[in-house]
Amino acid sequence: MSVLGGFLGYAIGYFLFDAIGRPILEFYHAMARYDALKAAFAQWGVWIIIIKGLTPIPYKLVTIASGVAQFPLVPFALASLVSRSLRFFLLAALLWRFGEPVREFIERRLMLVTSLFAAALVGGFVALRYL
């Protein structure tokens, strides 16, 4: 996804939530979920963006959710830069280190590779904090 696409997703969530999203959530009596989303982004927003950006979850969902939660734009942009850079540099490092044989594995199992990397990253931070 391009940088412009990331900001577009953020803008969609930020500017269209009141007009479109809020009425839908109110209709389904789901405003508590919105409040939980905002609280999660208030406490863990940068980490949510970084970790979800490493996983196979479509990044457009992360950008829209960031806008909906009204997460500040500058930390969003910086976390997006870190997240997307880590993902692409991980793939580049694997290709550089293992060459052509790993290409087919990555193409077939990209979700597994990025999910394992995200889990290792989170596990590392948890280990550093609590051990």
Side-chain angles (χ1 to χ4, degrees):
M1 176 197 312
S2 70
V3 173
L4 181 59
F7 287 115
L8 178 61
Y10 181 91
I12 288 170
Y14 192 92
F15 293 111
L16 295 180
F17 175 73
D18 285 333
I20 298 169
R22 183 177 303 278
I24 293 170
L25 291 177
E26 288 172 348
F27 177 80
Y28 287 107
H29 306 290
M31 284 304 291
R33 289 185 181 184
Y34 169 69
D35 294 335
L37 174 76
K38 281 192 77 161
F41 266 89
Q43 184 173 6
W44 302 103
V46 168
W47 291 110
I48 290 170
I49 294 166
I50 291 173
I51 292 167
K52 295 219 183 259
L54 294 172
T55 66
I57 295 169
Y59 197 64
K60 183 62 74 186
L61 296 177
V62 175
T63 64
I64 293 170
S66 297
V68 166
Q70 298 180 341
F71 191 71
L73 185 59
V74 171
F76 163 77
L78 294 174
S80 293
L81 177 68
V82 168
S83 172
R84 303 316 279 171
S85 297
L86 279 172
R87 181 178 172 129
F88 293 116
F89 283 123
L90 167 68
L91 295 176
L94 288 172
L95 286 170
W96 176 77
R97 173 69 176 97
F98 299 106
E100 200 58 38
V102 80
R103 179 184 302 276
E104 184 179 328
F105 176 80
I106 290 172
E107 288 175 357
R108 283 188 287 131
R109 296 189 174 84
L110 180 62
M111 184 165 73
L112 174 64
V113 170
T114 56
S115 296
L116 288 174
F117 180 72
L121 184 67
V122 170
F125 281 116
V126 169
L128 286 173
R129 179 173 174 109
Y130 295 108
L131 296 181

